[in-house]
PDB file of all heavy atoms in Angstrom:
ATOM      1  N   ALA A 887       0.831  -1.205   0.000  1.00  0.00           N
ATOM      2  CA  ALA A 887       0.000   0.000   0.000  1.00  0.00           C
ATOM      3  C   ALA A 887       0.867   1.258   0.000  1.00  0.00           C
ATOM      4  O   ALA A 887       2.102   1.185   0.020  1.00  0.00           O
ATOM      5  CB  ALA A 887      -0.938  -0.013   1.207  1.00  0.00           C
ATOM      6  N   TYR A 888       0.224   2.423   0.008  1.00  0.00           N
ATOM      7  CA  TYR A 888       0.914   3.697  -0.197  1.00  0.00           C
ATOM      8  C   TYR A 888       0.779   4.634   1.003  1.00  0.00           C
ATOM      9  O   TYR A 888       0.663   5.838   0.843  1.00  0.00           O
ATOM     10  CB  TYR A 888       0.379   4.365  -1.466  1.00  0.00           C
ATOM     11  CG  TYR A 888       0.802   3.638  -2.716  1.00  0.00           C
ATOM     12  CD1 TYR A 888       0.096   2.527  -3.161  1.00  0.00           C
ATOM     13  CD2 TYR A 888       1.925   4.027  -3.421  1.00  0.00           C
ATOM     14  CE1 TYR A 888       0.496   1.841  -4.289  1.00  0.00           C
ATOM     15  CE2 TYR A 888       2.336   3.355  -4.556  1.00  0.00           C
ATOM     16  CZ  TYR A 888       1.617   2.258  -4.985  1.00  0.00           C
ATOM     17  OH  TYR A 888       2.028   1.568  -6.108  1.00  0.00           O
ATOM     18  N   GLN A 889       0.818   4.051   2.215  1.00  0.00           N
ATOM     19  CA  GLN A 889       0.794   4.892   3.407  1.00  0.00           C
ATOM     20  C   GLN A 889       1.969   5.872   3.388  1.00  0.00           C
ATOM     21  O   GLN A 889       3.104   5.482   3.121  1.00  0.00           O
ATOM     22  CB  GLN A 889       0.875   4.040   4.681  1.00  0.00           C
ATOM     23  CG  GLN A 889      -0.395   3.314   5.034  1.00  0.00           C
ATOM     24  CD  GLN A 889      -0.500   1.945   4.381  1.00  0.00           C
ATOM     25  OE1 GLN A 889       0.356   1.555   3.588  1.00  0.00           O
ATOM     26  NE2 GLN A 889      -1.544   1.209   4.711  1.00  0.00           N
ATOM     27  N   GLY A 890       1.658   7.146   3.657  1.00  0.00           N
ATOM     28  CA  GLY A 890       2.711   8.149   3.764  1.00  0.00           C
ATOM     29  C   GLY A 890       3.183   8.750   2.460  1.00  0.00           C
ATOM     30  O   GLY A 890       4.008   9.665   2.467  1.00  0.00           O
ATOM     31  N   HIS A 891       2.680   8.281   1.327  1.00  0.00           N
ATOM     32  CA  HIS A 891       3.134   8.818   0.047  1.00  0.00           C
ATOM     33  C   HIS A 891       2.227   9.951  -0.421  1.00  0.00           C
ATOM     34  O   HIS A 891       1.024   9.971  -0.144  1.00  0.00           O
ATOM     35  CB  HIS A 891       3.203   7.718  -1.004  1.00  0.00           C
ATOM     36  CG  HIS A 891       4.332   6.765  -0.769  1.00  0.00           C
ATOM     37  ND1 HIS A 891       5.645   7.122  -0.971  1.00  0.00           N
ATOM     38  CD2 HIS A 891       4.349   5.489  -0.317  1.00  0.00           C
ATOM     39  CE1 HIS A 891       6.430   6.088  -0.671  1.00  0.00           C
ATOM     40  NE2 HIS A 891       5.659   5.086  -0.263  1.00  0.00           N
ATOM     41  N   VAL A 892       2.802  10.878  -1.152  1.00  0.00           N
ATOM     42  CA  VAL A 892       2.112  12.114  -1.524  1.00  0.00           C
ATOM     43  C   VAL A 892       1.982  12.254  -3.035  1.00  0.00           C
ATOM     44  O   VAL A 892       0.885  12.391  -3.577  1.00  0.00           O
ATOM     45  CB  VAL A 892       2.861  13.336  -0.943  1.00  0.00           C
ATOM     46  CG1 VAL A 892       2.217  14.637  -1.416  1.00  0.00           C
ATOM     47  CG2 VAL A 892       2.870  13.278   0.583  1.00  0.00           C
ATOM     48  N   ILE A 893       3.111  12.218  -3.729  1.00  0.00           N
ATOM     49  CA  ILE A 893       3.120  12.483  -5.168  1.00  0.00           C
ATOM     50  C   ILE A 893       2.301  11.460  -5.960  1.00  0.00           C
ATOM     51  O   ILE A 893       1.550  11.844  -6.866  1.00  0.00           O
ATOM     52  CB  ILE A 893       4.569  12.556  -5.693  1.00  0.00           C
ATOM     53  CG1 ILE A 893       5.297  13.740  -5.054  1.00  0.00           C
ATOM     54  CG2 ILE A 893       4.584  12.710  -7.219  1.00  0.00           C
ATOM     55  CD1 ILE A 893       6.760  13.862  -5.454  1.00  0.00           C
ATOM     56  N   PRO A 894       2.404  10.149  -5.668  1.00  0.00           N
ATOM     57  CA  PRO A 894       1.637   9.174  -6.481  1.00  0.00           C
ATOM     58  C   PRO A 894       0.138   9.430  -6.493  1.00  0.00           C
ATOM     59  O   PRO A 894      -0.503   9.274  -7.541  1.00  0.00           O
ATOM     60  CB  PRO A 894       1.974   7.836  -5.809  1.00  0.00           C
ATOM     61  CG  PRO A 894       3.303   8.047  -5.182  1.00  0.00           C
ATOM     62  CD  PRO A 894       3.291   9.464  -4.705  1.00  0.00           C
ATOM     63  N   ILE A 895      -0.444   9.825  -5.373  1.00  0.00           N
ATOM     64  CA  ILE A 895      -1.892  10.035  -5.341  1.00  0.00           C
ATOM     65  C   ILE A 895      -2.277  11.280  -6.144  1.00  0.00           C
ATOM     66  O   ILE A 895      -3.323  11.308  -6.800  1.00  0.00           O
ATOM     67  CB  ILE A 895      -2.419  10.123  -3.888  1.00  0.00           C
ATOM     68  CG1 ILE A 895      -3.934  10.325  -3.866  1.00  0.00           C
ATOM     69  CG2 ILE A 895      -1.734  11.231  -3.125  1.00  0.00           C
ATOM     70  CD1 ILE A 895      -4.712   9.218  -4.495  1.00  0.00           C
ATOM     71  N   VAL A 896      -1.437  12.308  -6.134  1.00  0.00           N
ATOM     72  CA  VAL A 896      -1.724  13.506  -6.941  1.00  0.00           C
ATOM     73  C   VAL A 896      -1.749  13.141  -8.417  1.00  0.00           C
ATOM     74  O   VAL A 896      -2.669  13.534  -9.156  1.00  0.00           O
ATOM     75  CB  VAL A 896      -0.677  14.614  -6.672  1.00  0.00           C
ATOM     76  CG1 VAL A 896      -0.926  15.813  -7.587  1.00  0.00           C
ATOM     77  CG2 VAL A 896      -0.741  15.051  -5.213  1.00  0.00           C
ATOM     78  N   ILE A 897      -0.754  12.398  -8.868  1.00  0.00           N
ATOM     79  CA  ILE A 897      -0.676  11.996 -10.273  1.00  0.00           C
ATOM     80  C   ILE A 897      -1.849  11.079 -10.628  1.00  0.00           C
ATOM     81  O   ILE A 897      -2.473  11.209 -11.696  1.00  0.00           O
ATOM     82  CB  ILE A 897       0.659  11.290 -10.570  1.00  0.00           C
ATOM     83  CG1 ILE A 897       1.842  12.187 -10.210  1.00  0.00           C
ATOM     84  CG2 ILE A 897       0.727  10.881 -12.033  1.00  0.00           C
ATOM     85  CD1 ILE A 897       1.887  13.502 -10.964  1.00  0.00           C
ATOM     86  N   ALA A 898      -2.165  10.147  -9.728  1.00  0.00           N
ATOM     87  CA  ALA A 898      -3.258   9.200  -9.987  1.00  0.00           C
ATOM     88  C   ALA A 898      -4.587   9.926 -10.154  1.00  0.00           C
ATOM     89  O   ALA A 898      -5.373   9.614 -11.058  1.00  0.00           O
ATOM     90  CB  ALA A 898      -3.348   8.189  -8.846  1.00  0.00           C
ATOM     91  N   VAL A 899      -4.855  10.907  -9.305  1.00  0.00           N
ATOM     92  CA  VAL A 899      -6.134  11.632  -9.377  1.00  0.00           C
ATOM     93  C   VAL A 899      -6.160  12.560 -10.590  1.00  0.00           C
ATOM     94  O   VAL A 899      -7.220  12.795 -11.173  1.00  0.00           O
ATOM     95  CB  VAL A 899      -6.396  12.410  -8.073  1.00  0.00           C
ATOM     96  CG1 VAL A 899      -7.647  13.270  -8.189  1.00  0.00           C
ATOM     97  CG2 VAL A 899      -6.548  11.433  -6.907  1.00  0.00           C
ATOM     98  N   TYR A 900      -5.006  13.060 -10.995  1.00  0.00           N
ATOM     99  CA  TYR A 900      -4.949  13.845 -12.239  1.00  0.00           C
ATOM    100  C   TYR A 900      -5.383  12.967 -13.419  1.00  0.00           C
ATOM    101  O   TYR A 900      -6.189  13.386 -14.257  1.00  0.00           O
ATOM    102  CB  TYR A 900      -3.543  14.386 -12.465  1.00  0.00           C
ATOM    103  CG  TYR A 900      -3.363  15.054 -13.807  1.00  0.00           C
ATOM    104  CD1 TYR A 900      -3.821  16.352 -14.023  1.00  0.00           C
ATOM    105  CD2 TYR A 900      -2.769  14.375 -14.877  1.00  0.00           C
ATOM    106  CE1 TYR A 900      -3.677  16.968 -15.263  1.00  0.00           C
ATOM    107  CE2 TYR A 900      -2.628  14.976 -16.118  1.00  0.00           C
ATOM    108  CZ  TYR A 900      -3.085  16.271 -16.301  1.00  0.00           C
ATOM    109  OH  TYR A 900      -2.959  16.867 -17.530  1.00  0.00           O
ATOM    110  N   ILE A 901      -4.860  11.739 -13.472  1.00  0.00           N
ATOM    111  CA  ILE A 901      -5.237  10.802 -14.536  1.00  0.00           C
ATOM    112  C   ILE A 901      -6.719  10.461 -14.431  1.00  0.00           C
ATOM    113  O   ILE A 901      -7.441  10.405 -15.435  1.00  0.00           O
ATOM    114  CB  ILE A 901      -4.368   9.535 -14.455  1.00  0.00           C
ATOM    115  CG1 ILE A 901      -2.913   9.875 -14.779  1.00  0.00           C
ATOM    116  CG2 ILE A 901      -4.886   8.453 -15.400  1.00  0.00           C
ATOM    117  CD1 ILE A 901      -1.942   8.748 -14.515  1.00  0.00           C
ATOM    118  N   MET A 902      -7.180  10.214 -13.206  1.00  0.00           N
ATOM    119  CA  MET A 902      -8.592   9.890 -12.992  1.00  0.00           C
ATOM    120  C   MET A 902      -9.504  11.005 -13.500  1.00  0.00           C
ATOM    121  O   MET A 902     -10.508  10.756 -14.177  1.00  0.00           O
ATOM    122  CB  MET A 902      -8.843   9.670 -11.502  1.00  0.00           C
ATOM    123  CG  MET A 902     -10.273   9.290 -11.157  1.00  0.00           C
ATOM    124  SD  MET A 902     -10.818   9.961  -9.573  1.00  0.00           S
ATOM    125  CE  MET A 902     -11.195  11.668 -10.034  1.00  0.00           C
ATOM    126  N   SER A 903      -9.157  12.254 -13.179  1.00  0.00           N
ATOM    127  CA  SER A 903      -9.984  13.387 -13.591  1.00  0.00           C
ATOM    128  C   SER A 903     -10.007  13.528 -15.109  1.00  0.00           C
ATOM    129  O   SER A 903     -11.050  13.844 -15.701  1.00  0.00           O
ATOM    130  CB  SER A 903      -9.450  14.675 -12.945  1.00  0.00           C
ATOM    131  OG  SER A 903      -9.461  14.582 -11.535  1.00  0.00           O
ATOM    132  N   PHE A 904      -8.855  13.278 -15.730  1.00  0.00           N
ATOM    133  CA  PHE A 904      -8.777  13.341 -17.195  1.00  0.00           C
ATOM    134  C   PHE A 904      -9.689  12.286 -17.825  1.00  0.00           C
ATOM    135  O   PHE A 904     -10.476  12.582 -18.738  1.00  0.00           O
ATOM    136  CB  PHE A 904      -7.330  13.135 -17.645  1.00  0.00           C
ATOM    137  CG  PHE A 904      -7.151  13.097 -19.130  1.00  0.00           C
ATOM    138  CD1 PHE A 904      -7.074  14.274 -19.868  1.00  0.00           C
ATOM    139  CD2 PHE A 904      -7.070  11.883 -19.802  1.00  0.00           C
ATOM    140  CE1 PHE A 904      -6.920  14.236 -21.249  1.00  0.00           C
ATOM    141  CE2 PHE A 904      -6.910  11.841 -21.187  1.00  0.00           C
ATOM    142  CZ  PHE A 904      -6.837  13.028 -21.902  1.00  0.00           C
ATOM    143  N   ILE A 905      -9.591  11.048 -17.332  1.00  0.00           N
ATOM    144  CA  ILE A 905     -10.418   9.963 -17.873  1.00  0.00           C
ATOM    145  C   ILE A 905     -11.893  10.242 -17.632  1.00  0.00           C
ATOM    146  O   ILE A 905     -12.733  10.076 -18.533  1.00  0.00           O
ATOM    147  CB  ILE A 905     -10.016   8.622 -17.229  1.00  0.00           C
ATOM    148  CG1 ILE A 905      -8.594   8.235 -17.650  1.00  0.00           C
ATOM    149  CG2 ILE A 905     -11.007   7.517 -17.612  1.00  0.00           C
ATOM    150  CD1 ILE A 905      -8.046   7.027 -16.924  1.00  0.00           C
ATOM    151  N   GLU A 906     -12.233  10.665 -16.416  1.00  0.00           N
ATOM    152  CA  GLU A 906     -13.630  10.925 -16.077  1.00  0.00           C
ATOM    153  C   GLU A 906     -14.237  11.988 -16.986  1.00  0.00           C
ATOM    154  O   GLU A 906     -15.346  11.829 -17.521  1.00  0.00           O
ATOM    155  CB  GLU A 906     -13.735  11.368 -14.616  1.00  0.00           C
ATOM    156  CG  GLU A 906     -15.166  11.654 -14.170  1.00  0.00           C
ATOM    157  CD  GLU A 906     -15.234  12.374 -12.848  1.00  0.00           C
ATOM    158  OE1 GLU A 906     -14.174  12.709 -12.283  1.00  0.00           O
ATOM    159  OE2 GLU A 906     -16.367  12.620 -12.377  1.00  0.00           O
ATOM    160  N   ASN A 907     -13.532  13.085 -17.174  1.00  0.00           N
ATOM    161  CA  ASN A 907     -14.065  14.180 -17.996  1.00  0.00           C
ATOM    162  C   ASN A 907     -14.196  13.784 -19.459  1.00  0.00           C
ATOM    163  O   ASN A 907     -15.127  14.213 -20.146  1.00  0.00           O
ATOM    164  CB  ASN A 907     -13.174  15.423 -17.843  1.00  0.00           C
ATOM    165  CG  ASN A 907     -13.311  16.065 -16.475  1.00  0.00           C
ATOM    166  OD1 ASN A 907     -14.399  16.097 -15.897  1.00  0.00           O
ATOM    167  ND2 ASN A 907     -12.224  16.582 -15.933  1.00  0.00           N
ATOM    168  N   LYS A 908     -13.264  12.960 -19.948  1.00  0.00           N
ATOM    169  CA  LYS A 908     -13.371  12.469 -21.325  1.00  0.00           C
ATOM    170  C   LYS A 908     -14.596  11.569 -21.485  1.00  0.00           C
ATOM    171  O   LYS A 908     -15.331  11.657 -22.477  1.00  0.00           O
ATOM    172  CB  LYS A 908     -12.100  11.699 -21.711  1.00  0.00           C
ATOM    173  CG  LYS A 908     -10.882  12.574 -21.962  1.00  0.00           C
ATOM    174  CD  LYS A 908     -11.067  13.427 -23.212  1.00  0.00           C
ATOM    175  CE  LYS A 908      -9.825  14.233 -23.522  1.00  0.00           C
ATOM    176  NZ  LYS A 908     -10.016  15.117 -24.714  1.00  0.00           N
ATOM    177  N   LEU A 909     -14.822  10.721 -20.504  1.00  0.00           N
ATOM    178  CA  LEU A 909     -15.961   9.809 -20.566  1.00  0.00           C
ATOM    179  C   LEU A 909     -17.291  10.552 -20.487  1.00  0.00           C
ATOM    180  O   LEU A 909     -18.261  10.173 -21.151  1.00  0.00           O
ATOM    181  CB  LEU A 909     -15.867   8.773 -19.436  1.00  0.00           C
ATOM    182  CG  LEU A 909     -14.779   7.709 -19.595  1.00  0.00           C
ATOM    183  CD1 LEU A 909     -14.692   6.846 -18.345  1.00  0.00           C
ATOM    184  CD2 LEU A 909     -15.038   6.843 -20.823  1.00  0.00           C
ATOM    185  N   HIS A 910     -17.342  11.602 -19.694  1.00  0.00           N
ATOM    186  CA  HIS A 910     -18.574  12.395 -19.598  1.00  0.00           C
ATOM    187  C   HIS A 910     -18.987  12.948 -20.971  1.00  0.00           C
ATOM    188  O   HIS A 910     -20.177  13.135 -21.250  1.00  0.00           O
ATOM    189  CB  HIS A 910     -18.394  13.558 -18.623  1.00  0.00           C
ATOM    190  CG  HIS A 910     -18.530  13.170 -17.176  1.00  0.00           C
ATOM    191  ND1 HIS A 910     -19.554  12.375 -16.708  1.00  0.00           N
ATOM    192  CD2 HIS A 910     -17.760  13.478 -16.101  1.00  0.00           C
ATOM    193  CE1 HIS A 910     -19.411  12.204 -15.407  1.00  0.00           C
ATOM    194  NE2 HIS A 910     -18.334  12.857 -15.007  1.00  0.00           N
ATOM    195  N   LYS A 911     -18.000  13.191 -21.837  1.00  0.00           N
ATOM    196  CA  LYS A 911     -18.274  13.774 -23.144  1.00  0.00           C
ATOM    197  C   LYS A 911     -18.735  12.737 -24.170  1.00  0.00           C
ATOM    198  O   LYS A 911     -19.436  13.077 -25.122  1.00  0.00           O
ATOM    199  CB  LYS A 911     -17.028  14.493 -23.668  1.00  0.00           C
ATOM    200  CG  LYS A 911     -16.633  15.716 -22.848  1.00  0.00           C
ATOM    201  CD  LYS A 911     -15.360  16.352 -23.395  1.00  0.00           C
ATOM    202  CE  LYS A 911     -14.952  17.560 -22.567  1.00  0.00           C
ATOM    203  NZ  LYS A 911     -13.688  18.180 -23.063  1.00  0.00           N
ATOM    204  N   ILE A 912     -18.326  11.473 -23.973  1.00  0.00           N
ATOM    205  CA  ILE A 912     -18.617  10.474 -25.008  1.00  0.00           C
ATOM    206  C   ILE A 912     -19.668   9.438 -24.585  1.00  0.00           C
ATOM    207  O   ILE A 912     -20.279   8.800 -25.436  1.00  0.00           O
ATOM    208  CB  ILE A 912     -17.333   9.742 -25.463  1.00  0.00           C
ATOM    209  CG1 ILE A 912     -16.697   8.988 -24.289  1.00  0.00           C
ATOM    210  CG2 ILE A 912     -16.338  10.734 -26.046  1.00  0.00           C
ATOM    211  CD1 ILE A 912     -15.458   8.181 -24.681  1.00  0.00           C
ATOM    212  N   VAL A 913     -19.868   9.281 -23.277  1.00  0.00           N
ATOM    213  CA  VAL A 913     -20.854   8.299 -22.797  1.00  0.00           C
ATOM    214  C   VAL A 913     -22.242   8.937 -22.817  1.00  0.00           C
ATOM    215  O   VAL A 913     -22.420  10.058 -22.329  1.00  0.00           O
ATOM    216  CB  VAL A 913     -20.510   7.830 -21.368  1.00  0.00           C
ATOM    217  CG1 VAL A 913     -21.612   6.917 -20.813  1.00  0.00           C
ATOM    218  CG2 VAL A 913     -19.170   7.111 -21.355  1.00  0.00           C
ATOM    219  N   PRO A 914     -23.245   8.279 -23.381  1.00  0.00           N
ATOM    220  CA  PRO A 914     -24.609   8.819 -23.400  1.00  0.00           C
ATOM    221  C   PRO A 914     -25.091   9.143 -21.986  1.00  0.00           C
ATOM    222  O   PRO A 914     -24.804   8.413 -21.034  1.00  0.00           O
ATOM    223  CB  PRO A 914     -25.435   7.690 -24.018  1.00  0.00           C
ATOM    224  CG  PRO A 914     -24.450   6.907 -24.827  1.00  0.00           C
ATOM    225  CD  PRO A 914     -23.157   6.989 -24.084  1.00  0.00           C
ATOM    226  N   GLU A 915     -25.817  10.237 -21.865  1.00  0.00           N
ATOM    227  CA  GLU A 915     -26.255  10.713 -20.563  1.00  0.00           C
ATOM    228  C   GLU A 915     -27.082   9.666 -19.818  1.00  0.00           C
ATOM    229  O   GLU A 915     -27.023   9.574 -18.581  1.00  0.00           O
ATOM    230  CB  GLU A 915     -27.071  11.999 -20.736  1.00  0.00           C
ATOM    231  CG  GLU A 915     -27.413  12.675 -19.412  1.00  0.00           C
ATOM    232  CD  GLU A 915     -28.099  14.004 -19.618  1.00  0.00           C
ATOM    233  OE1 GLU A 915     -28.144  14.498 -20.764  1.00  0.00           O
ATOM    234  OE2 GLU A 915     -28.602  14.559 -18.617  1.00  0.00           O
ATOM    235  N   MET A 916     -27.826   8.835 -20.549  1.00  0.00           N
ATOM    236  CA  MET A 916     -28.690   7.841 -19.922  1.00  0.00           C
ATOM    237  C   MET A 916     -27.893   6.844 -19.069  1.00  0.00           C
ATOM    238  O   MET A 916     -28.366   6.377 -18.019  1.00  0.00           O
ATOM    239  CB  MET A 916     -29.472   7.090 -20.999  1.00  0.00           C
ATOM    240  CG  MET A 916     -30.415   6.019 -20.455  1.00  0.00           C
ATOM    241  SD  MET A 916     -31.283   5.155 -21.770  1.00  0.00           S
ATOM    242  CE  MET A 916     -32.227   6.478 -22.511  1.00  0.00           C
ATOM    243  N   ILE A 917     -26.691   6.490 -19.509  1.00  0.00           N
ATOM    244  CA  ILE A 917     -25.896   5.498 -18.784  1.00  0.00           C
ATOM    245  C   ILE A 917     -24.626   6.093 -18.176  1.00  0.00           C
ATOM    246  O   ILE A 917     -23.793   5.373 -17.630  1.00  0.00           O
ATOM    247  CB  ILE A 917     -25.524   4.321 -19.714  1.00  0.00           C
ATOM    248  CG1 ILE A 917     -24.730   4.824 -20.933  1.00  0.00           C
ATOM    249  CG2 ILE A 917     -26.770   3.569 -20.160  1.00  0.00           C
ATOM    250  CD1 ILE A 917     -24.192   3.709 -21.812  1.00  0.00           C
ATOM    251  N   ASP A 918     -24.487   7.402 -18.282  1.00  0.00           N
ATOM    252  CA  ASP A 918     -23.275   8.066 -17.792  1.00  0.00           C
ATOM    253  C   ASP A 918     -23.058   7.818 -16.305  1.00  0.00           C
ATOM    254  O   ASP A 918     -21.928   7.597 -15.854  1.00  0.00           O
ATOM    255  CB  ASP A 918     -23.360   9.570 -18.072  1.00  0.00           C
ATOM    256  CG  ASP A 918     -22.115  10.319 -17.620  1.00  0.00           C
ATOM    257  OD1 ASP A 918     -21.014   9.948 -18.072  1.00  0.00           O
ATOM    258  OD2 ASP A 918     -22.243  11.247 -16.803  1.00  0.00           O
ATOM    259  N   LEU A 919     -24.120   7.872 -15.518  1.00  0.00           N
ATOM    260  CA  LEU A 919     -24.009   7.721 -14.070  1.00  0.00           C
ATOM    261  C   LEU A 919     -23.417   6.372 -13.681  1.00  0.00           C
ATOM    262  O   LEU A 919     -22.719   6.256 -12.669  1.00  0.00           O
ATOM    263  CB  LEU A 919     -25.391   7.889 -13.420  1.00  0.00           C
ATOM    264  CG  LEU A 919     -25.461   7.688 -11.900  1.00  0.00           C
ATOM    265  CD1 LEU A 919     -24.620   8.743 -11.193  1.00  0.00           C
ATOM    266  CD2 LEU A 919     -26.904   7.725 -11.418  1.00  0.00           C
ATOM    267  N   PHE A 920     -23.664   5.334 -14.507  1.00  0.00           N
ATOM    268  CA  PHE A 920     -23.187   3.996 -14.180  1.00  0.00           C
ATOM    269  C   PHE A 920     -21.845   3.696 -14.835  1.00  0.00           C
ATOM    270  O   PHE A 920     -20.935   3.168 -14.196  1.00  0.00           O
ATOM    271  CB  PHE A 920     -24.219   2.953 -14.622  1.00  0.00           C
ATOM    272  CG  PHE A 920     -25.605   3.233 -14.106  1.00  0.00           C
ATOM    273  CD1 PHE A 920     -26.567   3.787 -14.939  1.00  0.00           C
ATOM    274  CD2 PHE A 920     -25.937   2.966 -12.795  1.00  0.00           C
ATOM    275  CE1 PHE A 920     -27.844   4.058 -14.470  1.00  0.00           C
ATOM    276  CE2 PHE A 920     -27.204   3.227 -12.316  1.00  0.00           C
ATOM    277  CZ  PHE A 920     -28.169   3.778 -13.154  1.00  0.00           C
ATOM    278  N   VAL A 921     -21.744   4.031 -16.123  1.00  0.00           N
ATOM    279  CA  VAL A 921     -20.563   3.640 -16.895  1.00  0.00           C
ATOM    280  C   VAL A 921     -19.331   4.452 -16.512  1.00  0.00           C
ATOM    281  O   VAL A 921     -18.250   3.889 -16.289  1.00  0.00           O
ATOM    282  CB  VAL A 921     -20.845   3.788 -18.414  1.00  0.00           C
ATOM    283  CG1 VAL A 921     -19.558   3.553 -19.213  1.00  0.00           C
ATOM    284  CG2 VAL A 921     -21.920   2.811 -18.851  1.00  0.00           C
TER     285      VAL A 921
END
């Protein structure tokens, strides 16, 4: 696990936010909440 680490979680959430925002644009609104 990553107890005590700082930089990896910042980078991971940056990637997560990028993926999430891209998916919001391409996934139909009807299934966006689940997919």
Side-chain angles (χ1 to χ4, degrees):
Y888 290 83
Q889 285 88 356
H891 288 289
V892 175
I893 296 177
I895 181 61
V896 176
I897 303 300
V899 174
Y900 173 79
I901 293 171
M902 182 214 79
S903 301
F904 176 82
I905 294 172
E906 180 193 3
N907 289 324
K908 286 293 184 182
L909 288 174
H910 280 314
K911 294 178 181 179
I912 62 177
V913 174
E915 188 174 350
M916 180 181 297
I917 59 173
D918 181 56
L919 177 63
F920 308 102
V921 173

